[in-house]
Amino acid sequence: MAMKYTNIVILTGAGISEESGIQTFRGVDGIWENHRIEEVAHPMAFQKNPELVHRFYNERRKKLQTPEIRPNEAHLALKNLEDNSFAHFLLVTQNVDNLHERAGAEKVVHMHGEIMKARCLSCEKSNEHFEDMTLESVCKSCGTKGRLRPDIVWFEETVMHMKEIMEHLRLCDLFICIGTSGQVYPAAGFVDMVPLDCRTVEINLVPTQISSLFKEHYYGKASIEVPRFIQQLISGK
Ligand code: APR
C-alpha cells in the first residue's frame, strides 16, 4: 500500500535505543548524571585528557558490541516504514549507536557521528574501529599512529549532514520525532523547519520541552508506540 506521503523525515534520539539496553543522556540514570560533558564530550576534554575520553567511548563501544544489545521493535518498525515508503525517506539520528543499521535501515544519517567509527586527525578520514581506541592506535587509511579520535560530534562542534537534512526538511510532508528530549540544537529545532502543512508527530515516554511544536503526540514506550503508529501509516490510516 503506497502511502500518501512523498517526503518522510524521521528524527530519533536516545529514547529509541533505551529499551535495547543503551543508556539515555538525561533523566534517571542518564549518562550525564555520571559524567561531566566538559570532561568527556568536548574538544577541550580531548586536548586535556585524551585517555579519559578514549576510556569513556571505549566502554560504551564495548557495551554496544555485547550480544544482549540489539535493535528493538521501534528500530525494526522504522525499517518497515523505509521499505514501504515509495517516496523520499531520510532517517536522521542523534544517536551514535549502530542499531538502526543493524535493523536494516539504509537511509540513515548520524548528525552526531558514530561510536563504531574513528576519525584520523592527520588524514581526516573516518574508518571503522571495533577495538579499544588508545593513543597508540594506528589509522587504517594513512597509517599514522596516535592521531585517532572518536568520530563523534562533541559539544560546540559542527553537526554532520546538515545540508542533506535541511533539503529533506524543506520538502517534508511527514516528520516523526522519536525519543528525544528536545534539549540539543539544531535537532530540537527541526520541527520548526518543515512546511506549515507537514504532518508532525512526537513519540516519547513523556511530554518534552518541544511537544507544543508538534501537531500529534503518542506517549508511551517506543517499542510499542512506534510499531503501532507505523502500522497505521502503512495500512493507509
Ligand atoms: N521510549 C520512548 N522514549 C523514551 C524511552 C522509551 N523507552 N526512554 C526514554 N525516552 C525519552 C525520554 O523521555 C527523553 O525525552 O528519550 C529522551 C532521551 O533524552 P536524552 O537522554 O536527552 O537524549 P537525546 O534527546 O537523544 O539527547 C540529544 O544530547 O548529549 C547529547 O549528543 C547527545 O545525541 C545526544 C543529544
Coordinates of all heavy atoms in Angstrom, one line a residue, residues 9-87:
V9 N 10.6 12.4 6.9 CA 11.8 12.6 7.7 C 11.6 12.1 9.1 O 10.5 12.4 9.7 CB 12.3 14.0 7.8 CG1 13.5 14.2 8.7 CG2 12.6 14.6 6.4
I10 N 12.5 11.2 9.6 CA 12.4 10.7 10.9 C 13.6 11.3 11.7 O 14.7 11.4 11.2 CB 12.5 9.2 11.0 CG1 11.7 8.5 9.9 CG2 12.3 8.6 12.4 CD1 10.3 8.4 10.2
L11 N 13.3 11.7 13.0 CA 14.4 12.1 13.8 C 14.4 11.2 15.1 O 13.3 11.1 15.7 CB 14.3 13.6 14.3 CG 15.3 14.0 15.4 CD1 16.7 14.0 14.8 CD2 14.9 15.4 15.9
T12 N 15.5 10.5 15.4 CA 15.5 9.7 16.6 C 16.5 10.2 17.6 O 17.5 10.8 17.2 CB 15.8 8.2 16.3 OG1 17.1 8.1 15.7 CG2 14.7 7.7 15.4
G13 N 16.3 10.0 18.8 CA 17.2 10.3 20.0 C 17.4 9.1 20.8 O 16.9 8.0 20.5
A14 N 18.1 9.3 21.9 CA 18.5 8.1 22.8 C 17.3 7.3 23.2 O 17.5 6.1 23.5 CB 19.2 8.7 24.0
G15 N 16.1 7.9 23.3 CA 14.9 7.1 23.8 C 14.6 5.9 22.9 O 14.0 4.9 23.4
I16 N 15.0 5.9 21.6 CA 14.6 4.8 20.8 C 15.5 3.6 21.1 O 15.2 2.4 20.9 CB 14.7 5.1 19.3 CG1 13.8 4.1 18.5 CG2 16.1 5.2 18.8 CD1 13.6 4.4 17.1
S17 N 16.7 3.9 21.7 CA 17.6 2.8 22.0 C 17.6 2.3 23.5 O 18.2 1.4 23.9 CB 19.1 3.2 21.6 OG 19.2 3.4 20.2
E18 N 16.8 3.1 24.3 CA 16.8 2.8 25.7 C 16.3 1.4 26.0 O 16.9 0.6 26.8 CB 15.8 3.8 26.4 CG 15.8 3.7 27.9 CD 14.7 2.9 28.5 OE1 13.7 2.7 27.8 OE2 14.9 2.3 29.6
E19 N 15.3 0.9 25.3 CA 14.8 -0.5 25.6 C 15.7 -1.5 25.0 O 15.5 -2.7 25.3 CB 13.4 -0.6 25.0 CG 12.3 0.2 25.7 CD 11.0 0.4 25.0 OE1 10.2 -0.5 25.0 OE2 10.9 1.4 24.3
S20 N 16.7 -1.1 24.2 CA 17.7 -2.1 23.8 C 18.8 -2.2 24.8 O 19.8 -3.0 24.6 CB 18.3 -1.6 22.4 OG 17.3 -1.6 21.4
G21 N 18.7 -1.4 25.9 CA 19.7 -1.5 26.9 C 20.8 -0.4 26.9 O 21.8 -0.5 27.5
I22 N 20.6 0.6 26.0 CA 21.6 1.7 25.9 C 21.1 2.9 26.7 O 20.0 3.3 26.6 CB 21.8 2.1 24.4 CG1 22.4 0.9 23.7 CG2 22.7 3.3 24.3 CD1 22.8 1.2 22.2
Q23 N 22.0 3.4 27.6 CA 21.6 4.5 28.5 C 21.2 5.7 27.7 O 21.8 6.0 26.6 CB 22.9 4.9 29.3 CG 23.0 4.3 30.7 CD 24.3 4.8 31.3 OE1 25.4 4.6 30.7 NE2 24.1 5.5 32.4
T24 N 20.2 6.4 28.2 CA 20.0 7.8 27.6 C 20.9 8.8 28.3 O 21.7 8.4 29.1 CB 18.5 8.2 27.9 OG1 18.3 8.2 29.3 CG2 17.5 7.2 27.3
F25 N 20.8 10.0 27.9 CA 21.8 11.0 28.4 C 21.2 11.7 29.6 O 21.9 12.1 30.6 CB 22.1 12.1 27.3 CG 22.9 11.4 26.2 CD1 22.3 11.0 25.1 CD2 24.3 11.3 26.3 CE1 23.1 10.4 24.1 CE2 25.0 10.7 25.3 CZ 24.4 10.3 24.2
R26 N 19.9 12.0 29.6 CA 19.2 12.8 30.6 C 18.1 11.9 31.3 O 17.7 11.0 30.7 CB 18.7 14.1 30.0 CG 19.8 14.9 29.4 CD 19.3 16.1 28.5 NE 20.5 16.8 27.9 CZ 21.0 16.4 26.8 NH1 20.6 15.3 26.1 NH2 22.1 17.0 26.3
G27 N 17.7 12.4 32.4 CA 16.7 11.6 33.1 C 17.3 10.6 34.0 O 18.5 10.6 34.2
V28 N 16.5 9.7 34.6 CA 17.0 8.7 35.6 C 18.2 7.9 35.0 O 18.1 7.4 33.9 CB 15.9 7.7 36.0 CG1 16.4 6.7 36.9 CG2 14.7 8.5 36.6
D29 N 19.3 7.9 35.8 CA 20.5 7.1 35.4 C 21.1 7.5 34.1 O 21.7 6.7 33.4 CB 20.2 5.6 35.4 CG 21.5 4.8 35.3 OD1 22.5 5.3 35.8 OD2 21.4 3.7 34.7
G30 N 20.8 8.7 33.6 CA 21.3 9.2 32.4 C 22.8 9.3 32.4 O 23.4 9.5 33.4
I31 N 23.4 9.3 31.2 CA 24.9 9.3 31.1 C 25.4 10.6 31.7 O 26.4 10.6 32.4 CB 25.3 9.2 29.6 CG1 25.1 7.8 29.1 CG2 26.8 9.7 29.4 CD1 25.4 7.6 27.6
W32 N 24.7 11.7 31.6 CA 25.2 13.0 32.1 C 24.9 13.1 33.6 O 25.2 14.1 34.2 CB 24.6 14.2 31.3 CG 24.9 14.2 29.9 CD1 24.1 14.5 28.8 CD2 26.2 13.8 29.3 NE1 24.7 14.4 27.6 CE2 26.0 14.0 27.9 CE3 27.4 13.4 29.7 CZ2 27.0 13.7 27.0 CZ3 28.4 13.2 28.8 CH2 28.3 13.3 27.5
E33 N 24.3 12.1 34.2 CA 24.2 12.0 35.7 C 25.5 11.5 36.2 O 25.9 11.8 37.4 CB 23.1 11.1 36.1 CG 21.7 11.4 35.6 CD 21.3 12.8 36.0 OE1 21.4 13.1 37.2 OE2 20.9 13.6 35.1
N34 N 26.3 10.8 35.4 CA 27.5 10.2 36.0 C 28.8 10.7 35.3 O 29.9 10.3 35.7 CB 27.5 8.6 35.8 CG 26.1 8.1 36.2 OD1 25.7 8.4 37.3 ND2 25.5 7.3 35.3
H35 N 28.6 11.5 34.3 CA 29.9 12.0 33.6 C 29.7 13.5 33.4 O 28.5 13.9 33.1 CB 30.1 11.4 32.3 CG 30.4 9.9 32.4 ND1 29.5 8.9 32.4 CD2 31.6 9.2 32.5 CE1 30.0 7.7 32.5 NE2 31.3 7.9 32.6
R36 N 30.7 14.3 33.5 CA 30.6 15.7 33.1 C 30.9 15.9 31.6 O 32.0 15.4 31.2 CB 31.6 16.5 34.0 CG 31.2 16.5 35.5 CD 32.4 16.9 36.4 NE 32.8 18.3 36.0 CZ 32.3 19.4 36.5 NH1 31.2 19.2 37.3 NH2 32.7 20.6 36.1
I37 N 30.0 16.5 30.9 CA 30.1 16.7 29.5 C 31.5 17.4 29.2 O 32.2 16.9 28.3 CB 29.0 17.7 29.0 CG1 27.7 16.9 29.0 CG2 29.3 18.2 27.6 CD1 26.4 17.7 28.6
E38 N 31.9 18.4 30.0 CA 33.1 19.1 29.7 C 34.4 18.2 29.9 O 35.5 18.5 29.4 CB 33.3 20.4 30.4 CG 33.2 20.3 31.9 CD 31.7 20.3 32.4 OE1 30.8 20.2 31.6 OE2 31.5 20.3 33.6
E39 N 34.2 17.0 30.5 CA 35.3 16.1 30.7 C 35.4 15.0 29.7 O 36.5 14.5 29.5 CB 35.2 15.5 32.1 CG 35.6 16.4 33.3 CD 35.5 15.8 34.6 OE1 35.1 14.6 34.7 OE2 35.8 16.4 35.6
V40 N 34.3 14.7 29.0 CA 34.3 13.6 28.1 C 33.7 13.8 26.7 O 33.9 13.0 25.8 CB 33.6 12.3 28.7 CG1 34.4 11.8 29.9 CG2 32.2 12.7 29.1
A41 N 33.0 15.0 26.6 CA 32.3 15.1 25.3 C 32.5 16.6 24.7 O 31.5 17.2 24.3 CB 30.9 14.8 25.4
H42 N 33.7 17.0 24.8 CA 34.0 18.4 24.3 C 35.5 18.4 23.8 O 36.3 17.7 24.3 CB 33.9 19.4 25.5 CG 34.0 20.8 25.1 ND1 35.1 21.4 24.7 CD2 33.0 21.7 25.0 CE1 34.9 22.7 24.4 NE2 33.6 22.9 24.6
P43 N 35.7 19.1 22.7 CA 37.1 19.0 22.1 C 38.2 19.4 23.1 O 39.3 18.8 23.1 CB 37.1 20.1 21.0 CG 35.7 20.7 21.0 CD 34.8 19.9 21.9
M44 N 37.9 20.3 24.0 CA 38.9 20.7 25.0 C 39.2 19.5 26.0 O 40.3 19.3 26.4 CB 38.4 21.9 25.9 CG 38.3 23.2 25.1 SD 39.8 23.5 24.2 CE 40.9 23.8 25.6
A45 N 38.2 18.7 26.2 CA 38.4 17.5 27.0 C 39.4 16.6 26.4 O 40.3 16.0 27.1 CB 37.0 16.7 27.2
F46 N 39.3 16.4 25.1 CA 40.2 15.5 24.4 C 41.6 16.1 24.4 O 42.6 15.3 24.5 CB 39.7 15.3 22.9 CG 40.4 14.1 22.2 CD1 40.3 12.8 22.7 CD2 41.2 14.4 21.1 CE1 41.0 11.8 22.1 CE2 41.9 13.3 20.5 CZ 41.7 12.0 20.9
Q47 N 41.7 17.4 24.3 CA 43.0 18.1 24.4 C 43.7 17.8 25.7 O 44.8 17.4 25.8 CB 42.8 19.6 24.3 CG 42.3 20.1 22.9 CD 43.4 20.4 22.0 OE1 44.6 20.4 22.4 NE2 43.1 20.7 20.7
K48 N 42.8 18.0 26.8 CA 43.3 18.0 28.1 C 43.6 16.5 28.6 O 44.7 16.3 29.1 CB 42.2 18.6 29.1 CG 42.8 19.7 30.0 CD 41.6 20.4 30.7 CE 41.2 19.5 32.0 NZ 39.9 19.9 32.4
N49 N 42.7 15.6 28.3 CA 42.8 14.3 28.9 C 42.3 13.2 27.9 O 41.2 12.6 28.1 CB 42.1 14.2 30.2 CG 42.4 12.9 31.0 OD1 42.9 11.9 30.3 ND2 42.1 12.9 32.3
P50 N 43.1 13.0 26.8 CA 42.6 12.1 25.8 C 42.3 10.6 26.3 O 41.4 10.0 25.8 CB 43.7 12.1 24.7 CG 44.9 12.7 25.3 CD 44.4 13.6 26.4
E51 N 43.1 10.2 27.3 CA 42.9 8.9 27.8 C 41.5 8.7 28.4 O 40.8 7.7 28.2 CB 44.0 8.5 28.9 CG 45.4 8.3 28.3 CD 46.2 9.6 28.3 OE1 45.6 10.7 28.4 OE2 47.4 9.6 28.0
L52 N 41.1 9.8 29.2 CA 39.8 9.7 29.9 C 38.7 9.6 28.8 O 37.8 8.9 28.9 CB 39.6 10.9 30.8 CG 38.3 11.1 31.4 CD1 38.0 10.0 32.4 CD2 38.2 12.4 32.1
V53 N 38.9 10.5 27.7 CA 37.9 10.5 26.7 C 37.8 9.1 26.0 O 36.7 8.6 25.8 CB 38.1 11.6 25.7 CG1 37.2 11.6 24.5 CG2 38.0 13.0 26.4
H54 N 39.0 8.6 25.6 CA 39.0 7.3 25.0 C 38.4 6.2 25.9 O 37.6 5.4 25.4 CB 40.5 6.8 24.7 CG 41.0 7.4 23.4 ND1 40.3 7.5 22.3 CD2 42.2 8.0 23.2 CE1 41.1 8.1 21.3 NE2 42.2 8.4 21.8
R55 N 38.6 6.3 27.2 CA 38.0 5.3 28.1 C 36.5 5.4 28.1 O 35.8 4.4 28.0 CB 38.6 5.5 29.5 CG 38.6 4.2 30.3 CD 39.4 4.3 31.6 NE 39.4 5.5 32.3 CZ 40.5 6.3 32.4 NH1 41.7 5.9 31.8 NH2 40.5 7.4 33.1
F56 N 36.0 6.6 28.1 CA 34.5 6.9 28.1 C 33.9 6.2 26.8 O 32.9 5.5 26.9 CB 34.3 8.4 28.1 CG 32.8 8.8 28.0 CD1 31.9 8.5 29.0 CD2 32.4 9.5 26.9 CE1 30.6 8.9 28.9 CE2 31.1 9.9 26.8 CZ 30.2 9.6 27.8
Y57 N 34.5 6.4 25.7 CA 33.9 5.9 24.4 C 34.2 4.4 24.3 O 33.4 3.6 23.8 CB 34.4 6.7 23.2 CG 33.7 8.1 23.2 CD1 34.3 9.2 23.7 CD2 32.4 8.2 22.8 CE1 33.7 10.4 23.8 CE2 31.7 9.4 22.8 CZ 32.4 10.5 23.3 OH 31.7 11.7 23.4
N58 N 35.4 4.0 24.7 CA 35.7 2.5 24.7 C 34.7 1.7 25.4 O 34.2 0.7 25.0 CB 37.2 2.3 25.2 CG 38.2 2.8 24.2 OD1 38.0 3.0 23.1 ND2 39.4 3.0 24.8
E59 N 34.4 2.2 26.6 CA 33.4 1.5 27.5 C 32.0 1.4 26.7 O 31.4 0.3 26.7 CB 33.1 2.3 28.8 CG 34.1 1.9 29.9 CD 34.0 3.0 31.0 OE1 33.0 3.6 31.2 OE2 35.1 3.3 31.7
R60 N 31.6 2.5 26.2 CA 30.3 2.5 25.5 C 30.3 1.7 24.2 O 29.4 1.0 23.9 CB 29.8 3.9 25.2 CG 29.5 4.7 26.5 CD 29.3 6.2 26.2 NE 28.2 6.4 25.3 CZ 28.1 7.6 24.6 NH1 29.0 8.5 24.7 NH2 27.0 7.8 23.8
R61 N 31.5 1.7 23.5 CA 31.6 0.9 22.3 C 31.6 -0.6 22.6 O 30.9 -1.4 21.9 CB 32.9 1.3 21.5 CG 33.0 0.7 20.2 CD 34.3 1.1 19.5 NE 34.5 2.5 19.4 CZ 35.4 3.2 20.2 NH1 36.2 2.5 21.0 NH2 35.6 4.5 20.1
K62 N 32.3 -0.9 23.7 CA 32.4 -2.4 24.1 C 31.0 -2.9 24.4 O 30.5 -3.9 24.0 CB 33.3 -2.5 25.3 CG 34.0 -3.9 25.4 CD 35.0 -3.9 26.5 CE 36.1 -2.9 26.3 NZ 37.3 -3.1 27.1
K63 N 30.2 -2.0 25.2 CA 28.9 -2.4 25.6 C 28.0 -2.6 24.4 O 27.2 -3.6 24.3 CB 28.3 -1.3 26.6 CG 26.9 -1.6 27.1 CD 26.7 -1.2 28.5 CE 25.3 -1.3 29.0 NZ 24.4 -2.3 28.6
L64 N 28.1 -1.7 23.5 CA 27.3 -1.8 22.3 C 27.5 -3.1 21.5 O 26.6 -3.6 20.9 CB 27.6 -0.6 21.3 CG 26.8 -0.5 20.0 CD1 25.3 -0.4 20.2 CD2 27.3 0.7 19.2
Q65 N 28.7 -3.7 21.7 CA 29.0 -4.9 20.9 C 28.7 -6.2 21.7 O 28.9 -7.3 21.2 CB 30.5 -4.9 20.5 CG 30.8 -3.7 19.6 CD 32.3 -3.7 19.3 OE1 32.9 -4.4 18.5 NE2 33.0 -2.8 19.9
T66 N 28.1 -6.0 22.9 CA 27.7 -7.2 23.6 C 26.4 -7.8 23.0 O 25.6 -7.0 22.5 CB 27.4 -6.9 25.1 OG1 26.5 -5.8 25.2 CG2 28.7 -6.5 25.8
P67 N 26.2 -9.1 23.0 CA 25.1 -9.8 22.3 C 23.7 -9.3 22.8 O 22.8 -9.3 22.0 CB 25.3 -11.3 22.6 CG 26.4 -11.4 23.6 CD 27.1 -10.1 23.7
E68 N 23.6 -8.9 24.1 CA 22.2 -8.6 24.5 C 21.8 -7.2 24.0 O 20.6 -6.8 24.1 CB 22.1 -8.6 26.1 CG 22.9 -7.6 26.8 CD 24.3 -8.0 27.1 OE1 24.7 -9.1 26.6 OE2 25.0 -7.3 27.9
I69 N 22.7 -6.4 23.5 CA 22.3 -5.1 22.9 C 22.0 -5.3 21.4 O 22.9 -5.6 20.6 CB 23.5 -4.1 23.0 CG1 24.0 -4.0 24.5 CG2 23.1 -2.7 22.5 CD1 23.2 -3.1 25.4
R70 N 20.7 -5.2 21.1 CA 20.3 -5.3 19.7 C 19.1 -4.4 19.4 O 18.4 -4.0 20.3 CB 20.0 -6.8 19.4 CG 19.0 -7.5 20.3 CD 18.9 -9.0 19.9 NE 18.0 -9.6 20.9 CZ 18.5 -10.0 22.1 NH1 19.8 -10.0 22.3 NH2 17.8 -10.6 22.9
P71 N 18.8 -4.2 18.1 CA 17.7 -3.4 17.8 C 16.4 -3.8 18.4 O 16.2 -5.0 18.6 CB 17.6 -3.5 16.2 CG 18.9 -4.0 15.8 CD 19.5 -4.8 16.9
N72 N 15.5 -2.9 18.8 CA 14.2 -3.3 19.3 C 13.1 -3.1 18.3 O 13.4 -2.6 17.2 CB 13.9 -2.5 20.6 CG 13.8 -1.0 20.5 OD1 13.0 -0.6 19.7 ND2 14.7 -0.3 21.1
E73 N 11.9 -3.3 18.7 CA 10.7 -3.2 17.8 C 10.6 -1.8 17.1 O 10.1 -1.7 16.0 CB 9.4 -3.6 18.5 CG 9.3 -5.0 18.9 CD 9.5 -6.0 17.7 OE1 9.0 -5.7 16.7 OE2 10.3 -6.9 17.9
A74 N 11.1 -0.8 17.8 CA 10.9 0.5 17.2 C 11.9 0.7 16.0 O 11.5 1.2 15.0 CB 11.2 1.6 18.3
H75 N 13.2 0.2 16.2 CA 14.1 0.2 15.1 C 13.6 -0.6 13.9 O 13.7 -0.1 12.7 CB 15.5 -0.4 15.5 CG 16.2 0.4 16.6 ND1 16.2 -0.1 17.9 CD2 16.9 1.5 16.6 CE1 16.8 0.8 18.7 NE2 17.3 1.7 17.9
L76 N 13.0 -1.7 14.2 CA 12.5 -2.6 13.1 C 11.3 -2.0 12.4 O 11.2 -2.1 11.2 CB 12.2 -4.0 13.7 CG 13.4 -4.7 14.3 CD1 12.9 -6.0 15.1 CD2 14.4 -5.1 13.2
A77 N 10.5 -1.3 13.2 CA 9.3 -0.6 12.6 C 9.7 0.5 11.6 O 9.1 0.7 10.5 CB 8.4 -0.1 13.7
L78 N 10.8 1.2 11.9 CA 11.3 2.2 11.0 C 11.9 1.6 9.8 O 11.7 2.2 8.7 CB 12.4 3.1 11.8 CG 11.8 4.0 12.9 CD1 13.0 4.8 13.5 CD2 10.8 5.0 12.3
K79 N 12.5 0.5 9.9 CA 13.0 -0.2 8.7 C 11.8 -0.6 7.8 O 11.8 -0.5 6.6 CB 13.8 -1.5 9.1 CG 14.0 -2.6 8.1 CD 14.9 -2.1 6.9 CE 15.1 -3.2 5.9 NZ 15.7 -2.6 4.7
N80 N 10.7 -1.1 8.5 CA 9.5 -1.5 7.8 C 8.9 -0.3 7.0 O 8.5 -0.3 5.9 CB 8.5 -2.0 8.8 CG 7.2 -2.6 8.1 OD1 7.2 -2.9 7.0 ND2 6.2 -2.6 8.9
L81 N 8.9 0.9 7.7 CA 8.4 2.1 7.1 C 9.3 2.5 5.8 O 8.8 2.8 4.8 CB 8.4 3.3 8.1 CG 8.0 4.6 7.5 CD1 6.5 4.6 7.0 CD2 8.1 5.7 8.6
E82 N 10.6 2.4 6.0 CA 11.5 2.7 4.9 C 11.2 1.8 3.7 O 11.1 2.2 2.6 CB 13.0 2.5 5.4 CG 14.0 2.8 4.3 CD 15.4 2.8 4.8 OE1 15.7 2.5 6.1 OE2 16.4 3.0 4.0
D83 N 11.0 0.5 4.0 CA 10.7 -0.5 2.9 C 9.4 -0.2 2.2 O 9.2 -0.5 1.1 CB 10.7 -1.9 3.5 CG 12.1 -2.3 3.9 OD1 13.0 -1.6 3.5 OD2 12.2 -3.3 4.6
N84 N 8.4 0.4 3.0 CA 7.1 0.7 2.4 C 6.9 2.1 1.9 O 5.8 2.6 1.6 CB 6.0 0.4 3.5 CG 5.8 -1.1 3.6 OD1 5.0 -1.6 2.8 ND2 6.5 -1.7 4.6
S85 N 8.1 2.9 2.0 CA 7.9 4.3 1.5 C 8.4 4.4 0.1 O 9.6 4.2 -0.2 CB 8.8 5.2 2.4 OG 8.5 5.0 3.7
F86 N 7.5 4.6 -0.8 CA 7.9 4.7 -2.2 C 8.1 6.2 -2.5 O 7.9 6.7 -3.6 CB 6.7 4.2 -3.1 CG 6.3 2.8 -2.6 CD1 5.1 2.6 -1.9 CD2 7.1 1.7 -2.8 CE1 4.8 1.4 -1.5 CE2 6.8 0.5 -2.4 CZ 5.6 0.3 -1.7
A87 N 8.7 6.8 -1.5 CA 8.9 8.3 -1.6 C 10.3 8.6 -1.1 O 11.1 7.7 -0.9 CB 7.8 9.0 -0.8

